[in-house]
Amino acid sequence: MKRLTFAFALSFIAAALLAQTNPFFNPSTLPFQAPPFDRIKDSDYQPALEEGMKQGLAEIEAIANNPDPPTFDNTIVAMEKSGQLLTRVAKVFFNLTQSNTNETLEKVEADESPKLTAFQDSIYLNPRLFARVKAIYDQRTSLDLDPASQYLVDRYYRNFVRAGALLSDADKEKLKALNKEESTLTTQYRQKVLADTDASAVVVDNKADLAGMSDADIAAAAQRAKDRNLPEGRYVITLQNTTQQPPLAYLKNRSLREKIFRASSQRGNHDGPNDTRAIVERLAQLRAEKAQLLGFPTYAAYSLDDQMAKTPENAIKLMSDMVPATVAKANQQAKQMQTLAGFRLEPWDWQYYAEQLRKKEYALNEGEAKQYFELDRVLQDGVFYAANQLYGLTFKERHDIPVYNPDVRVFEVFDADGKSLALFYADYFSRPNKSGGAWMDTFVDQSKLLDQKPVVFNVANFTKPAAGQPALLSFTDVTTMFHEFGHALHGMFSNVTWPTLTGTSVPRDFVEFPSQFNEHWALDPKVFAHYAKHYKTGAPMPKALVDKIKNSRKFNQGYDLGEYLAAALLDMGWHTLPPGAPLQDVTTFEPATLEKYHIAMPLIPPRYHTTYFSHIWGGGYSAGYYAYLWSELIDDDAFYWFKEHGGLTRANGQRFRDMVLSRGGSEDAAAMYRAFRGRDPIVDPLLIERGLKPQDTKAPAMPNQPAVTPPKKP
């Protein structure tokens, strides 16, 4: 007995000492509870994750074993308050494993991801806890709950059922094993893709081979070679996560274009330590097994059951209906470029000759346009300015808030009444230890229950200029900044009580709506004129160049939409495999799937090949890449409401904020949109914006046209 008491005392003392030294063990004292990156060490994450799971499990057990009858407060609200230590560390840790990782963090992720999955299973597969949730769900209509709280109860019950709460004990054990394996494989996949993307960077020995690239891009390539300790006179072209690579639009050297393209498209699809083929083949199979356990015919059916699209058939139809016009548009442009080139085109030629055709048809030179898109001006005078005009926001850079990398900037966000609203972190430049692409997330979620204001971040992979050079962006990069800030606004404007329903906690095919909607303001005349100024002289972009950019917006849509549809339908192909199907061979399954959906085009590969399609194998978009198109349907329709009501005004922005951006996931997404728009979305604005349908100014007002109705949830 004395030994046990002594051991307990030692454990208590050790825990107390750890709480004093580990910055995650107590809420941050910084403004908005921002992470104290100046105090956080790599060695802090694992003990904080472990202790967070330990505390969280104890809290859940206390709720499940409460002898009092289940009530909304002692069950649902109690769960909303639980797990705060784990949330605090996980939000920081998983951002850094994506944006600023290292070997230590990768090892911690590999060790802890299966444990975190088991932790989630211990909650959702706890029969006593589910019995309490079900008891409240069964009597929800008789409880005196406001609509958001009733929706929260519905959400809890649905989440438990989807996680397997209704399964037999034997099937719960099977599900736990599948979840553990999936967690392990997705972590391995992400790490292999990151490693192979870095390893596949192309080294150039001769500056002459870089003909066509701007001086700034060449200087940046030389700096990257220097950073890798390569000899003087070497240049490094790093890869982004997509199949096609930006330098292919400018490089005159065809053999170098081919080398870059092949390096990009073969990532993960080769022997060696970074081969991802076996991982994705097994992931597809085990997800089908998981869907079968949960009562669904395919993983896609399971995944979409609680989304706006509702079924994979609805999502596939939206995409398939656009395939014929997309292929026709792509073939038409291919013939034009074939004539221009004078030889048989290959995939690594498309971007280069598309740029030549753009110059010919629109006299638009991207290199010239980039002179007017300096990053800080785009951010301050474009992205922030649009937010000010629509929502009354103002921004002040904070240099006293610690960051996780010197490239990261922090801004305090103030509301129209001058009150502090949020913190915003901007991490825009690529680096070898950062995953490709661009994304938004939070370090702290807004919640009235927890008295928390949002701490939001945007991450991108823009080329970092050499020292003393300006950071000049393509218009695609500019659009990316507006896009990700649309997500940020969704997080900042959240005004809900419950953590589960905060910010971007909405269906996956709705979450891209606010971000894609925000892209429209990049070309709004008032906003564009405010930020599109020459980086040296400050002179506004000449009207002729502005017109060229606007007129060329619909250029290359056959390619852009084609590569997207190919990837999204490929995602559906993998995730509509039936349970019991044998392991598929990536090299044969992918082309067969593209043929099946009539989107196989030799010159237009999928935006992501299977072996580096991180969205669906490691990024939460499994059977969900279609969501960008579904959200585009909604965002274009919403933008046309703005066009019909005066465009960029504070009144319009406030209405959108009040009815959409502030609501988080506190109500059904389709109903939320219907309340804002006055009807369901229609497809015409999307087709017009994509250049697949002319805008008939004499046509009846759009609200009178047939609507595309998202299926209503039961």
Side-chain angles (χ1 to χ4, degrees):
M1 191 68 177
K2 290 181 180 179
R3 289 181 183 175
L4 289 174
T5 304
F6 182 65
F8 178 79
L10 286 178
S11 176
F12 179 81
I13 293 170
L17 290 173
L18 192 59
Q20 292 177 8
T21 59
N22 192 309
F24 289 112
F25 274 54
N26 295 294
S28 169
T29 58
L30 292 172
F32 295 83
Q33 299 183 35
F37 286 113
D38 56 338
R39 295 174 50 221
I40 296 172
K41 304 182 296 295
D42 288 347
S43 58
D44 292 326
Y45 291 108
Q46 194 153 22
L49 288 167
E50 294 279 354
E51 181 63 21
M53 285 186 279
K54 180 181 176 182
Q55 290 185 16
L57 189 58
E59 292 163 348
I60 290 298
E61 284 295 319
I63 297 168
N65 297 325
N66 189 338
D68 296 333
T71 66
F72 180 76
D73 286 336
N74 71 18
T75 302
I76 304 298
V77 176
M79 281 193 284
E80 287 292 278
K81 292 180 178 179
S82 70
Q84 293 186 44
L85 168 56
L86 183 58
T87 298
R88 194 156 54 237
V89 60
K91 280 189 163 293
V92 176
F93 176 72
F94 285 107
N95 173 51
L96 263 65
T97 59
Q98 294 290 300
S99 63
N100 205 51
T101 194
N102 56 46
E103 290 183 0
T104 300
L105 297 187
E106 288 181 344
K107 185 179 186 307
V108 173
E109 184 182 20
D111 291 344
E112 297 299 319
S113 289
K115 296 179 184 178
L116 288 163
T117 298
F119 171 78
Q120 289 295 319
D121 285 342
S122 70
I123 296 173
Y124 286 111
L125 300 181
N126 183 322
R128 299 183 308 281
L129 185 63
F130 177 60
R132 297 181 71 87
V133 172
K134 186 177 185 302
I136 298 165
Y137 175 79
D138 289 342
Q139 58 178 319
R140 65 194 184 284
T141 55
S142 62
L143 299 176
D144 186 21
L145 299 176
D146 61 81
S149 298
Q150 184 158 323
Y151 194 75
L152 179 67
V153 173
D154 293 343
R155 181 89 166 254
Y156 260 92
Y157 180 77
R158 184 171 70 247
N159 288 349
F160 269 82
V161 171
R162 285 177 55 79
L166 294 176
L167 296 179
S168 66
D169 289 344
D171 282 344
K172 285 180 180 178
E173 292 305 311
K174 292 179 184 178
L175 183 61
K176 288 178 183 179
L178 291 173
N179 287 342
K180 180 179 180 181
E181 184 180 1
E182 182 179 15
S183 175
T184 299
L185 290 176
T186 54
T187 298
Q188 291 175 2
Y189 178 87
R190 285 197 302 268
Q191 293 180 356
K192 287 177 182 289
V193 169
L194 177 61
D196 211 31
T197 298
D198 185 44
S200 299
V202 175
V203 179
V204 179
D205 298 331
N206 189 344
K207 184 178 180 180
D209 291 339
L210 300 178
M213 287 182 67
S214 69
D215 291 341
D217 286 343
I218 292 174
Q223 182 62 51
R224 288 193 292 269
K226 184 178 179 181
D227 292 342
R228 293 176 182 235
N229 298 316
L230 295 178
E232 187 75 21
R234 301 292 194 275
Y235 304 85
V236 170
I237 298 175
T238 54
L239 302 182
Q240 65 177 28
N241 58 331
T242 52
T243 298
Q244 289 285 8
Q245 300 295 318
L248 299 185
Y250 313 112
L251 287 169
K252 296 179 180 180
N253 187 315
R254 193 180 186 216
S255 63
L256 179 56
R257 294 203 305 268
E258 179 180 359
K259 185 176 181 180
I260 294 170
F261 177 85
R262 291 194 183 279
S264 174
S265 59
Q266 288 300 308
R267 281 173 292 165
N269 192 12
H270 53 75
D271 294 333
N274 296 327
D275 188 347
T276 63
R277 289 172 293 186
I279 292 177
V280 299
E281 291 164 3
R282 175 56 183 153
L283 276 172
Q285 187 180 61
L286 71 85
R287 285 175 179 172
E289 294 173 16
K290 178 177 175 178
Q292 183 180 41
L293 266 181
L294 294 168
F296 292 88
T298 66
Y299 186 83
Y302 163 75
S303 181
L304 272 71
D305 184 60
D306 66 343
Q307 303 296 302
M308 291 185 72
K310 200 62 182 172
T311 69
E313 290 76 19
N314 287 334
I316 290 171
K317 185 179 188 305
L318 174 66
M319 295 186 287
S320 297
D321 286 351
M322 301 186 75
V323 166
T326 301
V327 172
K329 193 92 170 178
N331 288 337
Q332 177 188 14
Q333 188 174 356
K335 289 179 181 178
Q336 292 177 286
M337 294 193 301
Q338 191 83 45
T339 301
L340 186 64
F343 56 83
R344 179 180 174 181
L345 294 178
E346 297 289 351
W348 48 87
D349 297 317
W350 185 290
Q351 303 289 32
Y352 181 78
Y353 284 98
E355 180 63 16
Q356 304 308 305
L357 191 60
R358 188 202 306 269
K359 291 177 182 177
K360 180 181 177 183
E361 291 192 352
Y362 300 100
L364 175 62
N365 185 322
E366 282 283 4
E368 179 187 1
K370 287 174 72 172
Q371 310 299 307
Y372 293 86
F373 300 136
E374 191 274 323
L375 189 151
D376 190 61
R377 177 162 271 158
V378 172
L379 177 64
Q380 303 269 12
D381 296 343
V383 174
F384 288 172
Y385 175 74
N388 173 265
Q389 296 299 294
L390 284 165
Y391 312 112
L393 300 185
T394 54
F395 303 81
K396 177 183 178 182
E397 188 158 10
R398 296 284 300 262
H399 299 283
D400 58 329
I401 305 290
V403 293
Y404 57 87
N405 184 282
D407 289 339
V408 180
R409 301 169 68 183
V410 184
F411 298 85
E412 187 170 359
V413 186
F414 297 91
D415 216 334
D417 60 3
K419 294 181 180 178
S420 189
L421 177 71
L423 281 184
F424 172 66
Y425 291 62
D427 180 4
Y428 287 131
F429 295 127
S430 64
R431 47 184 172 266
N433 65 342
K434 180 193 281 190
S435 296
W439 63 93
M440 165 270 180
D441 210 326
T442 59
F443 289 130
V444 180
D445 286 321
Q446 179 274 331
S447 166
K448 294 179 183 176
L449 177 70
L450 303 179
D451 193 25
Q452 291 178 175
K453 290 184 177 181
V455 178
V456 179
F457 60 84
N458 278 174
V459 180
N461 270 276
F462 305 143
T463 299
K464 185 175 181 178
Q469 297 291 320
L472 302 180
L473 306 177
S474 67
F475 189 68
T476 299
D477 293 336
V478 172
T479 305
T480 296
M481 287 183 69
F482 276 84
H483 176 105
E484 296 305 333
F485 196 73
H487 283 308
L489 290 170
H490 203 183
M492 291 177 194
F493 284 149
S494 179
N495 187 28
V496 303
T497 299
W498 312 116
T500 293
L501 306 179
T502 189
T504 57
S505 301
V506 297
R508 190 174 46 216
D509 49 12
F510 191 82
V511 76
E512 297 297 334
F513 161 38
S515 57
Q516 293 180 175
F517 168 80
N518 203 56
E519 291 179 24
H520 289 282
W521 305 115
L523 266 179
D524 178 86
K526 184 178 181 181
V527 177
F528 190 83
H530 200 256
Y531 73 84
K533 298 178 180 180
H534 197 280
Y535 80 96
K536 287 184 178 178
T537 67
M541 181 180 285
K543 183 178 183 303
L545 184 53
V546 176
D547 291 341
K548 291 173 186 177
I549 290 176
K550 291 182 177 180
N551 293 336
S552 68
R553 282 178 62 224
K554 297 181 178 67
F555 177 77
N556 212 27
Q557 281 298 313
Y559 190 100
D560 292 345
L561 190 53
E563 67 165 1
Y564 167 79
L565 289 173
L569 289 165
L570 181 60
D571 170 28
M572 283 296 174
W574 281 109
H575 289 107
T576 51
L577 284 169
L583 286 172
Q584 304 296 308
D585 182 345
V586 168
T587 57
T588 57
F589 181 85
E590 182 172 308
T593 301
L594 298 179
E595 289 286 351
K596 172 185 174 182
Y597 291 118
H598 310 292
I599 195 67
M601 293 182 282
L603 285 175
I604 304 180
R607 184 168 175 81
Y608 308 97
H609 281 297
T610 298
T611 52
Y612 51 91
F613 201 166
S614 294
H615 281 77
I616 68 171
W617 303 120
Y621 274 72
S622 48
Y625 195 61
Y626 79 92
Y628 288 92
L629 188 62
W630 194 275
S631 293
E632 186 178 343
L633 167 77
I634 304 170
D635 92 70
D636 285 339
D637 188 62
F639 182 65
Y640 274 53
W641 180 90
F642 272 73
K643 292 175 69 172
E644 294 159 12
H645 292 83
L648 182 86
T649 68
R650 277 283 291 113
N652 287 346
Q654 193 64 42
R655 185 175 188 271
F656 189 62
R657 173 179 176 173
D658 292 343
M659 300 186 74
V660 177
L661 297 179
S662 66
R663 302 296 180 91
S666 62
E667 59 186 278
D668 177 78
M672 185 190 301
Y673 183 79
R674 198 176 298 120
F676 167 75
R677 190 59 164 107
R679 58 160 172 76
D680 291 312
I682 59 175
V683 73
D684 297 73
L686 182 152
L687 298 176
I688 293 169
E689 290 295 302
R690 283 279 185 175
L692 300 177
K693 176 181 178 178
Q695 184 167 10
D696 185 356
T697 56
K698 297 181 181 179
M702 285 189 176
N704 297 327
Q705 297 175 7
V708 176
T709 307
K712 297 178 177 63
K713 296 179 182 177

